[in-house]
């Protein structure tokens, strides 16, 4: 695929950590131009490896082998340096703050093509394809409940649960299930983590309440340890 280059200075060494996470974001800014400028501004100290515009144009800002600064304070499966282990992809959308809207089909096609290439080249397991809100559920909502995770999963990127029988909600069980899948911050704010699970894996209702469907999804996610191999 065609990728345009625009070098961001905001990166450093991965210090030997394995690259085995893919973290998707929305930019949450009013325009792609503003987002590109911020991600390349040394004073901002933020970046991502790639940015995908709404028309499908793809930019590379940081080489894959370098540690880009996209996840901030975050946690996944025992790792608190998510940046060291991940590729970060910024997807242009104004986000919840500036008029959250659907992601255009051209943009999602480009995201799928880019992510397929990344998970193949870096052997990123399906269960380690995440949203920023999954790794930072107390601070972040992106890429949000409008992001078409089912379309990505259908293309072979990440997980999507099949229809599941409802469970009687059991908070202790759900905590154990979500921790087993990789979620952190369960002690700090359980409802915020439940909302992150819903934002990614249910989308229809994001209310932070552990209902029978969310409990079933948590149970299913905890069982996805076998898909630990990249494609
Ligand atoms: Zn983000």
């Amino acid at each position: 695929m065609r990728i345009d280059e625009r070098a961001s200075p905001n990166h450093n060494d991965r210090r030997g950590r394995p690259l085995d996470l893919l973290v998707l974001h929305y930019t949450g800014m009013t325009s792609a131009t503003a987002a590109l400028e911020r991600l390349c501004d040394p004073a901002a100290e933020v970046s991502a490896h790639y940015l995908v515009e709404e028309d499908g144009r793809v930019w590379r800002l940081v080489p894959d082998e370098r540690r880009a600064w996209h996840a901030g304070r975050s946690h996944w499966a025992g790792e608190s340096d998510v940046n060291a282990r991940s590729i970060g992809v910024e997807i242009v959308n104004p986000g919840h703050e500036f008029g959250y809207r659907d992601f255009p089909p051209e943009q999602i096609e480009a995201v799928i093509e880019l992510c397929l290439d990344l998970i193949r080249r870096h052997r990123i397991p399906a269960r380690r394809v995440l949203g920023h809100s999954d790794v930072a559920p107390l601070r972040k909502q992106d890429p949000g409940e409008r992001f078409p995770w089912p379309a990505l999963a259908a293309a072979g990127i990440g997980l999507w649960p099949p229809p599941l029988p409802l469970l009687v909600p059991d908070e202790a069980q759900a905590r154990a299930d979500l921790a087993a899948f990789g979620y952190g911050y369960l002690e700090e704010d359980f409802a915020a983590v439940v909302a992150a699970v819903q934002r990614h894996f249910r989308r229809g209702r994001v209310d932070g309440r552990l209902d029978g469907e969310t409990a079933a999804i948590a149970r299913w996610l905890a069982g996805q340890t076998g898909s630990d191999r990249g494609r």
Side-chain angles (χ1 to χ4, degrees):
M1 74 185 302
R2 180 185 152 179
I3 298 181
D4 292 308
E5 306 280 342
R6 175 159 171 172
S8 168
N10 301 330
H11 56 81
N12 60 354
D13 198 275
R14 290 187 184 274
R15 299 188 194 92
R17 294 289 235 293
L19 193 180
D20 58 3
L21 277 166
L22 176 58
V23 179
L24 305 187
H25 303 254
Y26 66 46
T27 49
M29 296 186 71
T30 50
S31 72
T33 306
L36 273 171
E37 276 171 14
R38 178 168 156 79
L39 293 166
C40 295
D41 177 1
E45 298 189 333
V46 293
S47 61
H49 295 90
Y50 299 90
L51 177 140
V52 182
E53 295 200 42
E54 288 185 301
D55 64 2
R57 186 173 188 184
V58 180
W59 295 88
R60 182 183 356 255
L61 311 179
V62 173
D64 289 7
E65 60 273 18
R66 300 287 292 171
R67 178 179 174 275
W69 305 341
H70 57 96
R73 199 174 72 80
S74 47
H75 184 95
W76 193 256
E79 176 64 77
S80 52
D81 191 348
V82 169
N83 283 339
R85 300 194 55 162
S86 62
I87 293 277
V89 176
E90 286 280 358
I91 302 161
V92 171
N93 188 296
H96 293 86
E97 199 174 341
F98 297 107
Y100 191 37
R101 58 191 183 218
D102 284 342
F103 297 82
E106 311 87 275
Q107 185 181 35
I108 294 305
E109 274 174 39
V111 167
I112 286 174
E113 190 177 353
L114 174 64
C115 290
L116 278 176
D117 182 53
L118 291 170
I119 62 179
R120 282 185 188 132
R121 281 196 290 114
H122 300 299
R123 299 176 177 278
I124 297 170
R127 66 190 175 86
R128 292 173 70 85
V129 176
L130 303 166
H132 198 187
S133 55
D134 293 310
V135 300
L138 310 195
R139 302 185 300 117
K140 294 292 176 179
Q141 296 183 292
D142 61 311
E145 62 282 355
R146 287 177 187 263
F147 187 71
W149 290 107
L152 269 73
I157 302 157
L159 297 175
W160 186 254
L164 298 164
L166 301 187
L167 293 182
V168 176
D170 175 336
E171 186 172 323
Q173 181 65 56
R175 282 176 189 271
D177 289 340
L178 295 176
F181 184 56
Y183 282 97
Y185 308 104
L186 289 152
E187 300 305 319
E188 288 91 332
D189 191 342
F190 181 65
V193 177
V194 169
V197 173
Q198 293 167 337
R199 209 180 285 291
H200 183 159
F201 294 105
R202 183 172 75 180
R203 302 167 76 231
R205 191 167 71 256
V206 180
D207 58 9
R209 294 184 52 179
L210 183 71
D211 53 34
E213 188 182 20
T214 312
I217 291 168
R219 197 85 268 268
W220 181 81
L221 290 172
Q224 301 308 303
T225 51
S227 51
D228 208 1
R229 188 165 303 150
R231 296 167 66 87

